[in-house]
Amino acid sequence: MKRKLLSMLLATCLLCPAVTVSAAEYDTGTPWIYSGLEGNITQDTNISLKDDFAAAVNKEWYLSNSIPVGYSSYSNLAEKAYVMPEEFIAILTDESLKNDSNGQITQEIYQMWLDWDARNAMGMEPVMPYLNAIRNIQTMDDLEKYLTVKGGTNAIVALFPIGIQADMKNATEYGVYISSPSLFLGDSAEYRNPTEFGTRRKALIEELAIKLLVKAGFAQNEAVGIMEDCFTFEEMIAGSVLTFEEQSQTDYIDKMYNPCTMDFLKEQQGDMPIAEIIEVNGYDKAPNIVLAEPEWFMAFREIYKQENLELIKSYLLAHSIVSICNVLDKECYDWYTNMSNALNGSQGRLQDEVLAANFVSSMLSEPMAQLYCEKYYTEEDKAKIEAVCYDVIDEYKVMIMEEDFLTDVTKLTALEKLENMTVRAVYPDTWEDYSSITVADIEKAGNLLDTVMMIANYQSEIQVAKLGEEIDKGEWIAEPTDVNAYYNPQDNSINIMAGILAGPVYRSDMSIEEIYAGVGSVIGHEISHGFDPNGSQFDKDGNYKNWWTDEDRAAFDNKTEKLIAYYNSVELWEGMSCNGSILQGEAIADLGGAACILRMAKKIEDFDYDKYFKSYAKVWASLKTPQTAAYHALYDTHPADYLRINVVVSQFDEFQQTYGITEGDGMYVKPEERIAVW
Ligand SMILES: [Zn+2]
């Protein structure tokens, strides 16, 4: 579904997004056991906190918690994510909101989702016009007409995804970014060197898509052929699409930032109607159009021909039906749930009300978040968290100025970057006005799919209207209900959403040690992203611009390489090592955040370090199914949670001293072997 803004890979979040997967063969890793892997910690596990802090501190948590039905992981930090749907339901059934415009539309969609009788009666009917529009394409001219409908209101998926986000080199205005079409297997590397995960995912998607296509009236052999053609097409384009690993490298920004003119597009696009799509949708109002994947563009130009028309149609049919099968009838929903369980290692399904509430929150995220924050958060909460943010930023300034590996010129520019950092905490000052969507609009759409399309179109129009205007720094990209936090290098902001301010991260009755271990560390982590290999390439205003001396950059790169080498040496289980290269940004952020917070702790009289370190370990207590752990090992840019505890705490003298750790203990790290960059 279309997002409010295309965020590319730049807004580094604290947590990995929801995932999908294949099974892991696991065993004890080195140097520590993967304590958050379901079943790895038992009553008999007898580990001292000097040898494995994560396992020892969280043993009771691991034993007393389990992964809830319908989920593939469970974490202490994301506790709110499991509670929030109940709070949404309270809002979505609150009679007193019947006169509120946000209340009306969210409640209407909630009821529409829950109305299985109506959904079952319609069956595949809502999706048929979209599928027939693709089936009726006979020529390349037909295809062009299909692709160039204003707003893409006739198409569920985009063959040429086009999004809007800040221009990389001029952070005051929006740019339009053209990217490659999405692939069923996510990572283009899966098409060159398939992993067990990818092979399994492919089989499950094929099985689901074929069932859906047959239900939509295609003959069995036709449906099988569509899926074969779809994957043939994906293989043809995957070779020129950057792999996930390539996208996580520091040269990615340079590779993807390719501004071009409309004239260039028209000259170079061959038969592809990208320039026409841009014009019909008003994207050409943007001062800059960026071709994020020029290699794909050149390769696709050769593929976009009549001889491949059936392959392109198969791609569109398969992606359309799979991406919306969860808004059709009960049978489709059950097939979708079964596939997702098989992929993730999860079991069962959530209650209808919870699913409906989550759906409303994803579709009408801003109105839902506004209702939620008005009910559960106060200006006082916002002021409190903002104050902690500024305290951590202030300490970070001193920390940077005291770094011995940087020269003064780089330090002073880093200081400016910290002084100019925007803080967005808890909820926004102003909300997007959704009052022009009404219950009558939803009733007119008549079913969930058309409602989804109507809202997506509305949101795209809001974004297009902003092209050519100066970017409003008060605007939030993420929703306050996201259980997450992130740094956005493109506007040099830290974003601490209301959703993460719960459980071990923040409660109003916390001690200073718990606040530092929780929300303090989260804030420190996000600030550090401004100085990780990716974020450090952007200046104080969010422009992609080198502000480092060559000498300082070389020193930073040396430190980063040491960190990467360390993570490469860590085994999650036998035969599965960490990929330090993918993890570098998040690992630097964890370590930098902790270093900053421990400096703040020094200023507190009688600071209870034992309480702090144990609280910190509790933040990262989590459980994953083996399938989910396998997925994370391949694709998550965050180290596994037990490493986010053990690697981080073991780097600091305060930790070694608090627990009397000496050489020979599992948590001992020689000072010269420590890897913190900041
Ligand atoms: Zn992060």
Side-chain angles (χ1 to χ4, degrees):
M1 266 167 245
K2 294 164 198 170
R3 270 290 294 165
K4 255 175 63 171
L5 282 172
L6 180 79
S7 60
M8 310 299 284
L9 279 182
L10 289 161
T12 15
C13 296
L14 189 69
L15 300 166
C16 185
V19 291
T20 48
V21 214
S22 115
E25 291 294 322
Y26 58 89
D27 203 81
T28 56
T30 53
W32 303 288
I33 186 170
Y34 191 147
S35 49
L37 188 49
E38 202 179 28
N40 259 3
I41 298 291
T42 66
Q43 205 59 257
D44 298 336
T45 307
N46 188 14
I47 294 175
S48 110
L49 47 74
K50 289 187 180 196
D51 287 323
D52 184 340
F53 194 68
V57 173
N58 289 330
K59 181 178 172 184
E60 286 312 310
W61 188 94
Y62 293 128
L63 294 176
S64 57
N65 285 282
S66 57
I67 298 171
V69 167
Y71 290 97
S72 59
S73 63
Y74 184 69
S75 81
N76 206 14
L77 177 135
E79 179 193 278
K80 191 76 176 167
Y82 311 98
V83 176
M84 208 183 267
E86 299 296 334
E87 295 169 333
F88 288 158
I89 293 168
I91 292 168
L92 292 165
T93 52
D94 182 348
E95 292 284 326
S96 72
L97 291 171
K98 289 262 182 252
N99 295 322
D100 177 282
S101 65
N102 285 334
Q104 286 170 351
I105 55 173
T106 50
Q107 294 191 357
E108 181 71 14
I109 294 179
Y110 178 70
Q111 291 304 331
M112 196 181 232
W113 196 101
L114 287 171
D115 190 354
W116 283 118
D117 289 344
R119 290 173 67 177
N120 290 338
M122 281 188 269
M124 301 301 271
E125 196 184 305
V127 75
M128 293 317 294
Y130 298 97
L131 299 183
N132 288 334
I134 303 168
R135 283 177 110 170
N136 292 339
I137 296 169
Q138 299 300 326
T139 63
M140 295 307 279
D141 280 348
D142 293 344
L143 180 58
E144 179 163 336
K145 276 184 202 139
Y146 171 81
L147 295 172
T148 52
V149 170
K150 186 173 186 295
T153 48
N154 59 328
I156 293 167
V157 296
L159 189 61
F160 302 108
I162 297 173
I164 296 167
Q165 68 168 22
D167 188 89
M168 297 270 180
K169 287 194 174 171
N170 182 357
T172 60
E173 54 192 30
Y174 288 109
V176 164
Y177 291 72
I178 305 164
S179 44
S180 54
S182 72
L183 301 170
F184 267 136
L185 304 185
D187 185 0
S188 62
E190 287 289 354
Y191 297 80
R192 299 170 215 178
N193 302 302
T195 61
E196 187 201 333
F197 154 75
T199 309
R200 191 170 149 75
R201 179 167 166 151
K202 184 180 174 195
L204 286 165
I205 288 171
E206 265 174 343
E207 187 190 334
L208 172 68
I210 289 169
K211 280 198 282 195
L212 290 164
L213 287 165
V214 169
K215 188 171 160 105
F218 290 85
Q220 175 76 21
N221 62 343
E222 235 184 325
V224 170
I226 287 170
M227 288 316 292
E228 277 171 11
D229 282 355
C230 172
F231 277 108
T232 302
F233 173 74
E234 292 199 3
E235 276 161 27
M236 286 163 84
I237 54 172
S240 57
V241 172
L242 291 174
T243 63
F244 182 78
E245 182 151 6
E246 285 165 340
Q247 290 175 34
S248 68
Q249 301 305 303
T250 48
D251 62 357
Y252 172 58
I253 302 155
D254 211 35
K255 274 188 189 164
M256 64 79 65
Y257 187 72
N258 305 286
C260 66
T261 61
M262 284 298 286
D263 286 343
F264 173 88
L265 271 184
K266 284 176 183 168
E267 273 167 35
Q268 298 293 322
Q269 67 179 1
D271 295 333
M272 298 187 295
I274 300 181
E276 289 75 6
I277 297 171
I278 287 177
E279 280 173 349
V280 76
N281 288 295
Y283 290 129
D284 51 340
K285 277 199 299 173
N288 251 345
I289 291 165
V290 178
L291 200 49
E293 301 225 26
E295 274 185 45
W296 156 79
F297 177 82
M298 294 304 177
F300 199 34
R301 192 174 61 172
E302 304 309 316
I303 295 167
Y304 192 84
K305 306 267 185 227
Q306 177 79 34
E307 69 210 51
N308 295 320
L309 182 58
E310 288 307 312
L311 302 184
I312 296 172
K313 283 170 65 179
S314 294
Y315 170 90
L316 292 170
L317 284 169
H319 277 264
S320 298
I321 202 155
V322 168
S323 68
I324 53 80
C325 67
N326 59 342
V327 296
L328 299 172
D329 66 7
K330 182 76 166 49
E331 188 174 44
C332 291
Y333 199 91
D334 287 345
W335 289 343
Y336 161 77
T337 307
N338 292 343
M339 182 206 70
S340 138
N341 281 348
L343 220 46
N344 302 335
S346 48
Q347 286 175 356
R349 67 188 279 251
L350 300 172
Q351 288 173 328
D352 278 352
E353 287 76 10
V354 170
L355 293 167
N358 285 338
F359 176 78
V360 176
S361 176
S362 68
M363 263 336 292
L364 283 174
S365 52
E366 185 131 346
M368 192 66 231
Q370 186 176 353
L371 291 166
Y372 181 80
C373 289
E374 282 166 0
K375 178 164 181 179
Y376 293 105
Y377 290 90
T378 63
E379 281 182 25
E380 197 189 343
D381 295 323
K382 188 171 161 70
K384 256 190 198 170
I385 301 300
E386 281 174 353
V388 184
C389 289
Y390 288 114
D391 284 349
V392 184
I393 290 175
D394 281 344
E395 187 60 46
Y396 221 101
K397 290 180 196 166
V398 185
M399 183 169 93
I400 289 274
M401 289 311 283
E402 289 180 8
E403 274 302 347
D404 54 14
F405 79 97
L406 293 183
T407 58
D408 283 350
V409 56
T410 305
K411 280 184 193 175
L412 287 171
T413 324
L415 195 64
E416 267 181 12
K417 187 167 179 177
L418 285 161
E419 273 164 3
N420 209 41
M421 198 169 266
T422 298
V423 170
R424 295 195 192 100
V426 191
Y427 58 82
D429 292 327
T430 54
W431 298 89
E432 195 83 59
D433 180 9
Y434 268 70
S435 60
S436 53
I437 294 188
T438 63
V439 169
D441 294 325
I442 297 167
E443 282 170 354
K444 191 176 158 206
N447 61 63
L448 272 181
L449 175 55
D450 286 333
T451 303
V452 166
M453 296 295 288
M454 182 264 292
I455 293 170
N457 187 43
Y458 176 80
Q459 289 167 335
S460 295
E461 281 177 4
I462 291 178
Q463 292 310 314
V464 171
K466 289 177 183 165
L467 290 175
E469 287 177 13
E470 192 166 317
I471 293 182
D472 172 10
K473 278 206 158 195
E475 191 182 346
W476 285 40
I477 294 178
E479 294 307 339
T481 41
D482 292 349
V483 182
N484 218 333
Y486 72 97
Y487 172 78
N488 184 0
Q490 285 187 267
D491 63 6
N492 189 27
S493 66
I494 55 168
N495 301 263
I496 315 297
M497 281 80 89
I500 203 167
L501 301 172
V505 175
Y506 180 74
R507 292 185 316 275
S508 55
D509 61 350
M510 273 179 161
S511 65
I512 190 73
E513 288 85 359
E514 289 168 315
I515 287 180
Y516 278 13
V519 70
S521 300
V522 168
I523 294 165
H525 172 105
E526 301 310 338
I527 297 169
S528 301
H529 275 311
F531 306 96
D532 76 8
N534 179 9
S536 61
Q537 298 184 66
F538 291 80
D539 72 5
K540 68 181 175 60
D541 298 312
N543 295 311
Y544 174 52
K545 186 177 164 189
N546 183 22
W547 48 271
W548 293 66
T549 65
D550 291 348
E551 179 193 355
D552 289 338
R553 192 79 210 184
F556 176 83
D557 290 346
N558 270 339
K559 281 175 161 261
T560 304
E561 275 160 26
K562 187 175 169 187
L563 174 139
I564 292 172
Y566 170 79
Y567 276 95
N568 286 341
S569 75
V570 173
E571 266 201 336
L572 297 165
W573 52 82
E574 200 180 339
M576 176 56 86
S577 298
C578 288
N579 182 342
S581 175
I582 283 181
L583 301 177
Q584 54 181 309
E586 295 299 334
I588 288 172
D590 277 349
L591 290 160
C596 180
I597 294 298
L598 282 167
R599 291 174 61 98
M600 293 170 73
K602 278 201 181 91
K603 297 175 185 166
I604 309 275
E605 206 177 325
D606 298 326
F607 189 81
D608 184 343
Y609 284 97
D610 174 49
K611 188 172 187 181
Y612 166 79
F613 285 115
K614 285 180 178 161
S615 303
Y616 184 83
K618 283 175 192 149
V619 171
W620 297 109
S622 74
L623 283 167
K624 286 183 175 64
T625 62
Q627 292 90 334
T628 304
Y631 175 86
H632 278 248
L634 287 173
Y635 295 119
D636 194 349
T637 55
H638 304 80
D641 289 340
Y642 77 104
L643 297 174
R644 296 186 83 167
I645 303 168
N646 283 354
V647 175
V648 172
V649 298
S650 62
Q651 300 294 314
F652 298 99
D653 288 339
E654 290 88 339
F655 175 78
Q656 305 285 343
Q657 285 157 11
T658 300
Y659 300 103
I661 288 162
T662 54
E663 209 155 349
D665 291 331
M667 293 299 293
Y668 181 75
V669 184
K670 287 182 189 160
E672 64 271 24
E673 286 175 5
R674 294 184 189 171
I675 55 167
V677 170
W678 300 110

